[in-house]
Amino acid sequence: PVSHFGDGRGDLVLYQTIIDRLKHGEDYYPVVADELRRGGYALRPVLNFRLPTLATLIAVLPSVAALVLLRVLAAAVVLAWVSRLRQAGLRMPHAILAGVVVATGVGLAFNDSALVWHEMWAGLLIALSLAVHGKRTWGWSVALGLCAVLVRELALPLPLIMMALAARERRFMEAGAWLGVVVAFGAAMAVHMTIAAQQLVASDPVNGWTAVGGWSFILSTAKWNLLLAAAPMWMNAALVPCAV
């Protein structure tokens, strides 16, 4: 959702405030509705309510433990991809270099403010799910995929694509497991949206759930990569399409 805070607050403060109130024993959905209204956010459609998974997790953990968990997850992504690329036949120096490149994409996890960003957690879980996937380890991949969609619904393409690929390759047990992720996600979202809808009043504002920003948006968000943070925009324009 797009904030209309007049005092310079933004999504970061919104999420931190919600978590602080949960730590004091308040209920998630009334707190979110209250903070969205205070911040000038649209409450409709109910997809503007984030799933409660991440905020609840951070609220029940000590702050240091939550930060450590995020950073361990980021480190695991780097190590898992180095291992995966080694298994694919890359020589160790090349695999390590690739790991360094991966690290530039997950380095923001070591910024304290990253703790409350749903996209950071979901992105790391997606990356780790793909890295650990294999004939004998697909169960771990499925479990991580489930965690990703329960943190951020925009991770849903992961289980859908993995289910389709597994079915095409006649790995029907795995395809069924990915289908289970989709079904579990659908059930969780149905409950989530039902409870969130109960917090709405007729005067609550409406906005679009998604916004299509085009290539300018993609290039600007690529600046979050540590290698590209200080690079001129023309370098983004050259490198990002190559990556895609």
Side-chain angles (χ1 to χ4, degrees):
V2 178
S3 171
H4 300 288
F5 281 119
D7 59 359
R9 296 205 314 165
D11 290 359
L12 177 61
V13 174
L14 170 71
Y15 297 143
Q16 289 174 334
T17 303
I18 290 171
I19 292 167
D20 287 342
R21 292 181 63 176
L22 293 184
K23 286 180 180 288
H24 287 86
E26 297 188 60
D27 293 332
Y28 178 77
Y29 289 95
V31 165
V32 173
D34 182 45
E35 291 300 327
L36 290 176
R37 291 189 184 102
R38 288 180 58 206
Y41 287 84
L43 279 75
R44 300 173 185 270
V46 291
L47 287 170
N48 285 335
F49 284 71
R50 291 286 183 263
L51 286 159
T53 314
L54 181 60
T56 302
L57 174 66
I58 297 174
V60 300
L61 290 176
S63 299
V64 173
L67 282 169
V68 169
L69 179 60
L70 177 62
R71 289 163 185 176
V72 167
L73 181 59
V77 168
V78 176
L79 293 175
W81 273 107
V82 170
S83 175
R84 182 59 181 267
L85 293 171
R86 283 286 292 150
Q87 293 172 16
L90 262 69
R91 297 172 59 188
M92 180 58 80
H94 296 159
I96 292 175
L97 178 60
V100 172
V101 175
V102 172
T104 67
V106 304
L108 283 174
F110 291 85
N111 186 313
D112 288 358
S113 64
L115 180 66
V116 301
W117 292 110
H118 301 75
E119 294 79 7
M120 174 62 71
W121 287 85
L124 291 173
L125 288 165
I126 290 171
L128 188 57
S129 174
L130 294 172
V132 303
H133 184 273
K135 291 182 178 180
R136 298 182 179 180
T137 56
W138 59 261
W140 289 104
S141 181
V142 170
L144 290 164
L146 176 61
C147 293
V149 297
L150 292 180
V151 168
R152 189 72 165 98
E153 71 281 355
L154 294 180
L156 183 59
L158 172 69
L160 292 174
I161 292 170
M162 296 297 281
M163 178 179 63
L165 292 174
R168 188 184 70 176
E169 297 171 9
R170 304 183 69 81
R171 292 180 280 110
F172 296 120
M173 184 176 294
E174 181 186 340
W178 285 112
L179 176 60
V181 170
V182 175
V183 171
F185 166 76
M189 278 299 293
V191 173
H192 168 69
M193 294 174 68
T194 299
I195 300 174
Q198 296 171 357
Q199 312 301 318
L200 302 179
V201 297
S203 59
D204 285 331
V206 181
N207 72 352
W209 173 57
T210 59
V212 181
W215 273 107
S216 60
F217 173 76
I218 294 172
L219 294 177
S220 63
T221 54
K223 298 286 281 186
W224 288 92
N225 182 287
L226 298 182
L227 279 179
L228 298 177
M233 188 59 76
W234 67 262
M235 189 175 292
N236 280 23
L239 294 178
V240 173
C242 292
V244 173

